[in-house]
Amino acid sequence: MTGKEMLRRFMRQRAAFISGIFVVLLIVVALLAPWLAPYPPDLPNYDRVMAVPSLAHWLGTDELGRDVLSRLMYGAQAAIQAALIAIIIPLVIGVPLGILSGYLGGVFDEVFMRIVDGILAIPAILLALGITAALGVNLWNAMIAIGIVFTPQFARLARSQTLQIRSEAYVYAAKVSGAGAFWTMGKHIIPNISPPIIVQSSFNMSFAILVEASLSFLGLGAQSPQISWGGMIQQAYSLMYMNPWLILAPGVAIMLTMLAGNIMGDGLRVALDPKLKKV
Amino acid sequence: MFLRFLTKRLFYVIPMLFITTFIVFSFILLIPGDPALAILGENASDENLAQLRAQLGLDQSLFIQYWNWLTSALVGDLGESFFTGESVQEAVFSRMGITFQLVTTAIVIAFVFGTTLAIVSMMKPGSWIDEFARLVSTMGTAIPNFLLAMLLLAVFSLSLGWLPATGFISLFEDPIGFLRSVLLPSIALGAVGMAQITRHMRSALIEVFETDYIRTAFSKGLSIRQTIFHHGIRNAILPVVTTVGILYGNLMGATVVVETIFSIPGIGQLAVDSIMQRDFAMLQGVVLVMVVIIIVINFATDIIYSLLDPRIKYE
């Protein structure tokens, strides 16, 4: 299947296509936040504290009179960063190790997979909490921790895919013709295991946003003045008994982004799998 | 045959327990400085630090430290909290019961509503209830548990005042009070599970419907309802068993957030507190107990699955 055809298969799925547009818009908003945001995100306005949505403040203001929409736009930067870091680390570390493990097999594979299973037995959020606490509490370390937590999942996926491809006739033919292990991995394995890994990346990006928000909510992520959606929820939570609706804006932002990531993942799965014809 | 399968699974679980406990133990290595510094603070004298390190056994090699910790853990001694001096195993086990009740309630809710929704939606494909089931299974995986927890809290406790906002009452003390205290947090915890179970059960039912024997049953005039209850559920429940096993682990982790919101003094809150205080002895104990429970539950799920599915060969 060509790239063009994959794109066409993706775009034909309405929900996935809309989700894709949403994600692109989110990235644009995050990048252009300094120009798009109607107010500086940290500008307090004590005359307009916890104002309801109005023409001047589309999503109202928070407990310090700061514009919620502007903060949401800057918070998108943290969300996108978290999502990117959380998949770059497993793609760079987990996937190559998984391929190597699946390709080489034997004792290395056996030991490596036991370690991976061991790490996977620890609940993701707890592992992320522990790593963040150990590295030091800030948004950057929280993102790195999420990336580390995802690494064994990707290693496992890459390994199981490699095992399938390894026994294909064309890989065997390459080997018989004298191709080296690394050449085979680069030429045959990596291109063929990419689709499921791309799909998994899409799901994990939305999960990363959830974990980042959870860590920030527990006070182990973004520290003031860093702005993140989770941090906004944490602030809103402390005012919950006075003004419960303050959690809505960041909450809905997280939910829509996760929803878009999940639907996009489903769409990519269909688009990248030539066996699924129903598009 | 079955016994051989069991021993084989056990051989797989035991090394895993060693590796996982080693990872848990190594947490301590990641702390900048070391536990002695964490306890005594930056201003402690070198002499005091050295003394405490010797007392905690930190001057020994990592493997000896791990071995000592593991052998004590095996006889039920997880050490003492760095700060309060409280026994770690007592703290962990007294809170484990609370979390276990909470997580189990969440899984029961997820299971009952998830399977019902899947079955009902299959009985009337394309109907509003089918659409609703799909909406729930999509939204449920996207709504963060802390958001759902806060929304439930805001609506049912703060606005309507129907249910308590915080606290926990044990099932064994007061069953009605237990249900009241645990309902909102377990819905917040279980929503993701319900979505996953609906999803898996639905696709499993669809798969069953496409098999030859069901087609035969249909052609003999069996109704959809009869087909679902006589053949569908029995065959579609298998993947759900695996989902429930995995859910236990995920929800155990999620209690970290949900227990904090509802002020439930379970193991999740203990984990957060020990991280905040950098009480790594306590944290190691918490994570160890959680992980052991998760591994045991996954082991049990494997066994139940093999008992339910006669197609699995015990080799």
Side-chain angles (χ1 to χ4, degrees), chain A residues 111-132:
Chain A
V111 173
F112 181 68
M113 284 332 283
R114 288 300 87 79
I115 296 173
V116 163
D117 283 346
I119 303 175
L120 284 175
I122 306 171
I125 179 112
L126 208 60
L127 188 59
L129 275 174
I131 297 172
T132 315

PDB file of all heavy atoms in Angstrom, chain A residues 111-132:
ATOM      1  N   VAL A 111      15.809 -13.537  29.003  1.00  0.00           N
ATOM      2  CA  VAL A 111      16.101 -12.647  30.134  1.00  0.00           C
ATOM      3  C   VAL A 111      15.429 -11.291  29.942  1.00  0.00           C
ATOM      4  O   VAL A 111      14.783 -10.760  30.846  1.00  0.00           O
ATOM      5  CB  VAL A 111      17.628 -12.460  30.302  1.00  0.00           C
ATOM      6  CG1 VAL A 111      17.934 -11.401  31.354  1.00  0.00           C
ATOM      7  CG2 VAL A 111      18.272 -13.794  30.665  1.00  0.00           C
ATOM      8  N   PHE A 112      15.545 -10.769  28.731  1.00  0.00           N
ATOM      9  CA  PHE A 112      14.992  -9.446  28.447  1.00  0.00           C
ATOM     10  C   PHE A 112      13.472  -9.429  28.656  1.00  0.00           C
ATOM     11  O   PHE A 112      12.931  -8.523  29.274  1.00  0.00           O
ATOM     12  CB  PHE A 112      15.340  -9.049  27.009  1.00  0.00           C
ATOM     13  CG  PHE A 112      14.845  -7.688  26.630  1.00  0.00           C
ATOM     14  CD1 PHE A 112      15.402  -6.554  27.219  1.00  0.00           C
ATOM     15  CD2 PHE A 112      13.818  -7.519  25.713  1.00  0.00           C
ATOM     16  CE1 PHE A 112      14.942  -5.292  26.883  1.00  0.00           C
ATOM     17  CE2 PHE A 112      13.355  -6.267  25.378  1.00  0.00           C
ATOM     18  CZ  PHE A 112      13.924  -5.156  25.961  1.00  0.00           C
ATOM     19  N   MET A 113      12.809 -10.467  28.172  1.00  0.00           N
ATOM     20  CA  MET A 113      11.350 -10.481  28.314  1.00  0.00           C
ATOM     21  C   MET A 113      10.916 -10.639  29.765  1.00  0.00           C
ATOM     22  O   MET A 113       9.894 -10.104  30.166  1.00  0.00           O
ATOM     23  CB  MET A 113      10.727 -11.594  27.455  1.00  0.00           C
ATOM     24  CG  MET A 113      10.675 -11.275  25.982  1.00  0.00           C
ATOM     25  SD  MET A 113      10.565  -9.520  25.561  1.00  0.00           S
ATOM     26  CE  MET A 113       8.857  -9.217  25.896  1.00  0.00           C
ATOM     27  N   ARG A 114      11.690 -11.384  30.551  1.00  0.00           N
ATOM     28  CA  ARG A 114      11.343 -11.500  31.977  1.00  0.00           C
ATOM     29  C   ARG A 114      11.431 -10.128  32.654  1.00  0.00           C
ATOM     30  O   ARG A 114      10.596  -9.762  33.462  1.00  0.00           O
ATOM     31  CB  ARG A 114      12.263 -12.485  32.696  1.00  0.00           C
ATOM     32  CG  ARG A 114      12.063 -13.981  32.394  1.00  0.00           C
ATOM     33  CD  ARG A 114      10.695 -14.479  32.728  1.00  0.00           C
ATOM     34  NE  ARG A 114       9.758 -14.295  31.620  1.00  0.00           N
ATOM     35  CZ  ARG A 114       9.697 -15.090  30.558  1.00  0.00           C
ATOM     36  NH1 ARG A 114      10.455 -16.146  30.480  1.00  0.00           N
ATOM     37  NH2 ARG A 114       8.872 -14.845  29.569  1.00  0.00           N
ATOM     38  N   ILE A 115      12.484  -9.363  32.284  1.00  0.00           N
ATOM     39  CA  ILE A 115      12.629  -8.028  32.869  1.00  0.00           C
ATOM     40  C   ILE A 115      11.452  -7.141  32.447  1.00  0.00           C
ATOM     41  O   ILE A 115      10.850  -6.447  33.263  1.00  0.00           O
ATOM     42  CB  ILE A 115      13.971  -7.381  32.450  1.00  0.00           C
ATOM     43  CG1 ILE A 115      15.135  -8.202  33.021  1.00  0.00           C
ATOM     44  CG2 ILE A 115      14.061  -5.934  32.920  1.00  0.00           C
ATOM     45  CD1 ILE A 115      16.494  -7.769  32.547  1.00  0.00           C
ATOM     46  N   VAL A 116      11.111  -7.222  31.155  1.00  0.00           N
ATOM     47  CA  VAL A 116       9.993  -6.421  30.647  1.00  0.00           C
ATOM     48  C   VAL A 116       8.698  -6.781  31.388  1.00  0.00           C
ATOM     49  O   VAL A 116       7.969  -5.907  31.844  1.00  0.00           O
ATOM     50  CB  VAL A 116       9.838  -6.639  29.125  1.00  0.00           C
ATOM     51  CG1 VAL A 116       8.483  -6.167  28.639  1.00  0.00           C
ATOM     52  CG2 VAL A 116      10.929  -5.900  28.384  1.00  0.00           C
ATOM     53  N   ASP A 117       8.442  -8.090  31.543  1.00  0.00           N
ATOM     54  CA  ASP A 117       7.235  -8.518  32.259  1.00  0.00           C
ATOM     55  C   ASP A 117       7.249  -8.023  33.696  1.00  0.00           C
ATOM     56  O   ASP A 117       6.220  -7.639  34.238  1.00  0.00           O
ATOM     57  CB  ASP A 117       7.119 -10.046  32.248  1.00  0.00           C
ATOM     58  CG  ASP A 117       6.641 -10.552  30.905  1.00  0.00           C
ATOM     59  OD1 ASP A 117       6.167  -9.725  30.112  1.00  0.00           O
ATOM     60  OD2 ASP A 117       6.762 -11.761  30.658  1.00  0.00           O
ATOM     61  N   GLY A 118       8.430  -8.066  34.294  1.00  0.00           N
ATOM     62  CA  GLY A 118       8.570  -7.609  35.677  1.00  0.00           C
ATOM     63  C   GLY A 118       8.191  -6.144  35.819  1.00  0.00           C
ATOM     64  O   GLY A 118       7.467  -5.760  36.740  1.00  0.00           O
ATOM     65  N   ILE A 119       8.669  -5.330  34.861  1.00  0.00           N
ATOM     66  CA  ILE A 119       8.340  -3.897  34.934  1.00  0.00           C
ATOM     67  C   ILE A 119       6.850  -3.685  34.660  1.00  0.00           C
ATOM     68  O   ILE A 119       6.194  -2.880  35.306  1.00  0.00           O
ATOM     69  CB  ILE A 119       9.182  -3.076  33.927  1.00  0.00           C
ATOM     70  CG1 ILE A 119      10.664  -3.300  34.193  1.00  0.00           C
ATOM     71  CG2 ILE A 119       8.862  -1.598  34.039  1.00  0.00           C
ATOM     72  CD1 ILE A 119      11.574  -2.640  33.193  1.00  0.00           C
ATOM     73  N   LEU A 120       6.303  -4.461  33.716  1.00  0.00           N
ATOM     74  CA  LEU A 120       4.898  -4.291  33.360  1.00  0.00           C
ATOM     75  C   LEU A 120       3.959  -4.662  34.502  1.00  0.00           C
ATOM     76  O   LEU A 120       2.806  -4.238  34.516  1.00  0.00           O
ATOM     77  CB  LEU A 120       4.554  -5.125  32.116  1.00  0.00           C
ATOM     78  CG  LEU A 120       5.036  -4.553  30.790  1.00  0.00           C
ATOM     79  CD1 LEU A 120       4.746  -5.514  29.652  1.00  0.00           C
ATOM     80  CD2 LEU A 120       4.396  -3.203  30.509  1.00  0.00           C
ATOM     81  N   ALA A 121       4.447  -5.450  35.463  1.00  0.00           N
ATOM     82  CA  ALA A 121       3.590  -5.833  36.587  1.00  0.00           C
ATOM     83  C   ALA A 121       3.349  -4.660  37.535  1.00  0.00           C
ATOM     84  O   ALA A 121       2.407  -4.673  38.319  1.00  0.00           O
ATOM     85  CB  ALA A 121       4.212  -6.996  37.348  1.00  0.00           C
ATOM     86  N   ILE A 122       4.209  -3.648  37.458  1.00  0.00           N
ATOM     87  CA  ILE A 122       4.024  -2.478  38.326  1.00  0.00           C
ATOM     88  C   ILE A 122       3.023  -1.539  37.653  1.00  0.00           C
ATOM     89  O   ILE A 122       3.196  -1.195  36.493  1.00  0.00           O
ATOM     90  CB  ILE A 122       5.365  -1.746  38.543  1.00  0.00           C
ATOM     91  CG1 ILE A 122       6.407  -2.733  39.067  1.00  0.00           C
ATOM     92  CG2 ILE A 122       5.207  -0.575  39.502  1.00  0.00           C
ATOM     93  CD1 ILE A 122       7.809  -2.165  39.120  1.00  0.00           C
ATOM     94  N   PRO A 123       1.949  -1.135  38.366  1.00  0.00           N
ATOM     95  CA  PRO A 123       0.981  -0.233  37.734  1.00  0.00           C
ATOM     96  C   PRO A 123       1.658   1.006  37.164  1.00  0.00           C
ATOM     97  O   PRO A 123       2.512   1.613  37.820  1.00  0.00           O
ATOM     98  CB  PRO A 123       0.051   0.138  38.891  1.00  0.00           C
ATOM     99  CG  PRO A 123       0.173  -0.968  39.865  1.00  0.00           C
ATOM    100  CD  PRO A 123       1.576  -1.477  39.740  1.00  0.00           C
ATOM    101  N   ALA A 124       1.277   1.359  35.922  1.00  0.00           N
ATOM    102  CA  ALA A 124       1.951   2.431  35.192  1.00  0.00           C
ATOM    103  C   ALA A 124       2.028   3.727  35.997  1.00  0.00           C
ATOM    104  O   ALA A 124       3.093   4.341  36.105  1.00  0.00           O
ATOM    105  CB  ALA A 124       1.253   2.670  33.861  1.00  0.00           C
ATOM    106  N   ILE A 125       0.904   4.109  36.580  1.00  0.00           N
ATOM    107  CA  ILE A 125       0.871   5.407  37.255  1.00  0.00           C
ATOM    108  C   ILE A 125       1.788   5.402  38.480  1.00  0.00           C
ATOM    109  O   ILE A 125       2.471   6.376  38.788  1.00  0.00           O
ATOM    110  CB  ILE A 125      -0.573   5.815  37.621  1.00  0.00           C
ATOM    111  CG1 ILE A 125      -0.607   7.152  38.350  1.00  0.00           C
ATOM    112  CG2 ILE A 125      -1.250   4.815  38.480  1.00  0.00           C
ATOM    113  CD1 ILE A 125      -1.241   8.210  37.553  1.00  0.00           C
ATOM    114  N   LEU A 126       1.849   4.248  39.151  1.00  0.00           N
ATOM    115  CA  LEU A 126       2.684   4.138  40.341  1.00  0.00           C
ATOM    116  C   LEU A 126       4.164   4.206  39.973  1.00  0.00           C
ATOM    117  O   LEU A 126       4.960   4.867  40.636  1.00  0.00           O
ATOM    118  CB  LEU A 126       2.374   2.810  41.037  1.00  0.00           C
ATOM    119  CG  LEU A 126       2.598   2.782  42.522  1.00  0.00           C
ATOM    120  CD1 LEU A 126       1.737   3.818  43.204  1.00  0.00           C
ATOM    121  CD2 LEU A 126       2.301   1.405  43.070  1.00  0.00           C
ATOM    122  N   LEU A 127       4.509   3.530  38.872  1.00  0.00           N
ATOM    123  CA  LEU A 127       5.896   3.558  38.406  1.00  0.00           C
ATOM    124  C   LEU A 127       6.276   4.985  38.021  1.00  0.00           C
ATOM    125  O   LEU A 127       7.356   5.482  38.374  1.00  0.00           O
ATOM    126  CB  LEU A 127       6.044   2.605  37.220  1.00  0.00           C
ATOM    127  CG  LEU A 127       7.461   2.363  36.711  1.00  0.00           C
ATOM    128  CD1 LEU A 127       8.336   1.788  37.803  1.00  0.00           C
ATOM    129  CD2 LEU A 127       7.462   1.431  35.512  1.00  0.00           C
ATOM    130  N   ALA A 128       5.358   5.658  37.314  1.00  0.00           N
ATOM    131  CA  ALA A 128       5.616   7.035  36.913  1.00  0.00           C
ATOM    132  C   ALA A 128       5.795   7.925  38.143  1.00  0.00           C
ATOM    133  O   ALA A 128       6.693   8.776  38.186  1.00  0.00           O
ATOM    134  CB  ALA A 128       4.480   7.565  36.036  1.00  0.00           C
ATOM    135  N   LEU A 129       4.959   7.693  39.163  1.00  0.00           N
ATOM    136  CA  LEU A 129       5.076   8.456  40.410  1.00  0.00           C
ATOM    137  C   LEU A 129       6.449   8.247  41.035  1.00  0.00           C
ATOM    138  O   LEU A 129       7.118   9.199  41.434  1.00  0.00           O
ATOM    139  CB  LEU A 129       4.035   7.965  41.417  1.00  0.00           C
ATOM    140  CG  LEU A 129       2.636   8.535  41.370  1.00  0.00           C
ATOM    141  CD1 LEU A 129       1.748   7.803  42.360  1.00  0.00           C
ATOM    142  CD2 LEU A 129       2.688   9.998  41.733  1.00  0.00           C
ATOM    143  N   GLY A 130       6.846   6.988  41.136  1.00  0.00           N
ATOM    144  CA  GLY A 130       8.127   6.654  41.766  1.00  0.00           C
ATOM    145  C   GLY A 130       9.295   7.282  41.027  1.00  0.00           C
ATOM    146  O   GLY A 130      10.170   7.899  41.631  1.00  0.00           O
ATOM    147  N   ILE A 131       9.277   7.164  39.681  1.00  0.00           N
ATOM    148  CA  ILE A 131      10.389   7.706  38.897  1.00  0.00           C
ATOM    149  C   ILE A 131      10.421   9.226  39.017  1.00  0.00           C
ATOM    150  O   ILE A 131      11.482   9.830  39.180  1.00  0.00           O
ATOM    151  CB  ILE A 131      10.287   7.277  37.418  1.00  0.00           C
ATOM    152  CG1 ILE A 131      10.399   5.755  37.311  1.00  0.00           C
ATOM    153  CG2 ILE A 131      11.372   7.924  36.586  1.00  0.00           C
ATOM    154  CD1 ILE A 131      10.122   5.209  35.920  1.00  0.00           C
ATOM    155  N   THR A 132       9.252   9.850  38.970  1.00  0.00           N
ATOM    156  CA  THR A 132       9.212  11.316  39.092  1.00  0.00           C
ATOM    157  C   THR A 132       9.762  11.752  40.450  1.00  0.00           C
ATOM    158  O   THR A 132      10.557  12.687  40.527  1.00  0.00           O
ATOM    159  CB  THR A 132       7.766  11.840  38.969  1.00  0.00           C
ATOM    160  OG1 THR A 132       7.146  11.182  37.876  1.00  0.00           O
ATOM    161  CG2 THR A 132       7.741  13.323  38.735  1.00  0.00           C
TER     162      THR A 132
END
